[in-house]
Amino acid sequence: MTFDYALLTNRDEVVGYLSLVGLLGALADEPADVTVREVTAGNMNRVFIAAGPLGSVAVKQAPPFVQAAGPEWPIDPARIGAEARAYELLGRLVPDAVPSIVHVDLDRFVMVMEDLSALEVLRDELVRQVQDATAGRAVSYIDYGAVGDVVGRFVGELSLATSAQVLGASAHAELVADSANAELCRLTTEVVLDEPFRAHEHNWWHPSLDERVAALYEDAEVQAGVALVRDRFENASQALLHGDLHSGSVMIGSTPEKTQKVTVFDPEFSFVGPIGLDLGLFWSNLAIASIAARAAGHEGLAAAREDAIVASWQAFVDVWDDDDSVDVDDDLLESVRSDAWRFAGVEAMRRVAGWSHAADLETLPSDAAPAAQRAVFDAARHWIVTGTATALTLTDDPTSPENPGATP
């Protein structure tokens, strides 16, 4: 896999690029008045904020490798095209929940978009709340029910509009082909659905999980559950998905009217797949955040975070129920919910026993970490095996396989 294009690495290159594509004038009259700072935070791409007296934009470029790993992990940069296609559709369906796109360059794999730097990544806020509460500082308020409502509506509107029921068989088949995202689907298969469930060099875990991880690789029930999840991921072409909807793909902040603003971004993993995937990834990350808060002794904060799970499911159901053009039965909704919990399980397992771990857990005080790690592991196992939820609780028994969870 060889790609020959220039990567943006510094301020002058970003300014030069914006000038080349005719966007610099929207920021400043003179190039010298533009500042650039790198805000790369995710695993896949590089992101810069370019700002001047007249405005600001975010400049995102996909390198031909996984940004967090480097050139030794090559991957097709055309993923930026999948993200752009997803944004185009989302901009029509849920314009208030996604950033606006200014420019797409599929030769250099660059996307210029609305600057969201006034907002905060939800994952960062989840971590900060626990740290502030633990230190006795004032904790910023987040309306978790409203966060869940936006995410659930986002998933509902996107999945409904791109379902076979709404599009018809021919248009839906065309969408499946046009939205194929083989490279990033393969990455999901490897990092989420394969590596955490067998001995692999990418895997690492907290010492409190030694016995659990050793048993995991021989756990027939888990292996059967993961096989079911993988089959759904590969074969259930139900609707267009975000594909990577975790707490690092949601931003929150305030509007000029001082109301809470919630924005979903980074749909580069977008493809047509099982509707439950997006809900499950979101639920898993909010459940992890709830467990982290509970382990640190902040019960009220933990309970508030579970509100997002409940609200997202209700918002999703409302979108589908309110559309008279489709027949929605309990079997369909139950299938989506079961899929969602199983996907929540594989996501949670990779966050404690795979390659990319949850900052919510990794930043906990050392005395709180073991119980939280065990609780997330046990929740993950339960969700994978049963496709159902259960109360998010902690156990003091380091060998107990009792399984916490959360109920929408």
Side-chain angles (χ1 to χ4, degrees):
M1 183 185 299
T2 303
F3 296 92
D4 184 18
Y5 64 100
L7 293 178
L8 302 174
T9 62
N10 57 46
R11 182 257 177 205
D12 289 346
E13 291 172 355
V14 172
V15 171
Y17 179 82
L18 291 173
S19 178
L20 180 68
V21 298
L23 296 175
L24 196 63
L27 308 184
D29 293 327
E30 298 294 333
D33 294 332
V34 176
T35 62
V36 176
R37 59 189 175 93
E38 185 171 359
V39 293
T40 299
N43 291 325
M44 300 301 297
N45 306 304
R46 300 192 75 169
V47 182
F48 302 87
I49 300 297
L54 304 179
S56 62
V57 293
V59 182
K60 180 175 184 176
Q61 185 177 39
F65 48 80
V66 176
Q67 171 65 29
E72 63 271 18
W73 194 337
I75 194 165
D76 190 347
R79 59 187 182 272
I80 205 86
E83 183 172 5
R85 288 193 300 272
Y87 273 132
E88 180 182 9
L89 178 59
L90 290 166
R92 299 197 301 267
L93 294 174
V94 283
D96 57 332
V98 296
S100 58
I101 304 304
V102 178
H103 173 76
V104 178
D105 179 350
L106 297 182
D107 292 322
R108 292 185 64 180
F109 306 104
V110 174
M111 184 162 56
V112 182
M113 59 197 297
E114 177 186 352
D115 174 16
L116 299 177
S117 59
L119 305 179
E120 299 289 340
V121 175
L122 177 59
R123 176 177 292 153
D124 295 341
E125 287 296 285
L126 294 171
V127 170
R128 187 175 297 115
Q129 280 190 325
V130 171
Q131 291 178 330
D132 286 345
T134 301
R137 297 186 293 264
V139 176
S140 61
Y141 175 72
I142 296 175
D143 184 341
Y144 283 103
V147 172
D149 184 75
V150 171
V151 171
R153 184 167 54 84
F154 172 98
V155 177
E157 295 284 3
L158 178 61
S159 61
L160 178 64
T162 60
S163 65
Q165 294 98 311
V166 169
L167 290 179
S170 178
H172 186 263
E174 184 176 344
L175 177 68
V176 172
D178 290 346
S179 303
N181 198 354
E183 279 286 308
L184 292 193
C185 284
R186 179 177 60 81
L187 184 63
T188 298
T189 298
E190 292 174 355
V191 175
V192 181
L193 299 174
D194 177 26
E195 293 174 4
F197 303 98
R198 62 184 176 90
H200 193 279
E201 61 182 355
H202 286 164
N203 297 341
W204 57 284
W205 54 86
H206 191 276
S208 64
L209 298 182
D210 283 348
E211 292 185 10
R212 280 168 166 78
V213 172
L216 175 67
Y217 301 154
E218 305 299 327
D219 191 327
E221 287 186 313
V222 169
Q223 298 300 328
V226 172
L228 177 60
V229 175
R230 183 165 178 166
D231 178 71
R232 297 293 289 166
F233 180 77
E234 294 175 347
N235 298 307
S237 299
Q238 293 179 311
L240 189 67
L241 312 176
H242 178 287
D244 195 30
L245 213 176
H246 50 67
S247 56
S249 303
V250 178
M251 301 191 82
I252 60 171
S254 297
T255 67
E257 296 75 30
K258 305 301 181 183
T259 59
Q260 181 171 275
K261 179 177 177 59
V262 181
T263 299
V264 180
F265 70 112
D266 270 2
E268 62 191 337
F269 281 75
S270 180
F271 75 110
V272 176
I275 297 169
L277 172 64
D278 280 349
L279 289 170
L281 298 186
F282 179 71
W283 292 356
S284 183
N285 280 260
L286 268 294
I288 290 171
S290 176
I291 288 172
R294 185 164 284 118
H298 311 302
E299 183 64 37
L301 190 56
R305 292 170 171 190
E306 293 170 34
D307 289 345
I309 299 173
V310 177
S312 66
W313 176 249
Q314 188 58 56
F316 169 81
V317 171
D318 288 346
V319 169
W320 278 75
D321 276 346
D322 290 346
D323 193 304
D324 296 333
S325 67
V326 296
D327 292 326
V328 181
D329 58 35
D330 290 342
D331 288 343
L332 171 64
L333 294 177
E334 187 53 43
S335 173
V336 171
R337 181 157 50 183
S338 178
D339 280 351
W341 279 121
R342 292 186 193 275
F343 279 111
V346 293
E347 166 72 358
M349 194 64 80
R350 72 111 167 188
R351 294 297 189 183
V352 292
W355 177 59
S356 181
H357 284 210
D360 313 77
L361 302 177
E362 298 305 312
T363 55
L364 282 174
S366 58
D367 60 340
Q373 294 277 347
R374 292 193 296 265
V376 172
F377 183 101
D378 292 346
R381 184 186 185 281
H382 173 87
W383 296 331
I384 292 168
V385 170
T386 70
T388 63
T390 182
L392 286 168
T393 55
L394 303 175
T395 174
D396 292 327
D397 181 357
T399 63
S400 172
E402 293 301 318
N403 305 311
T407 305

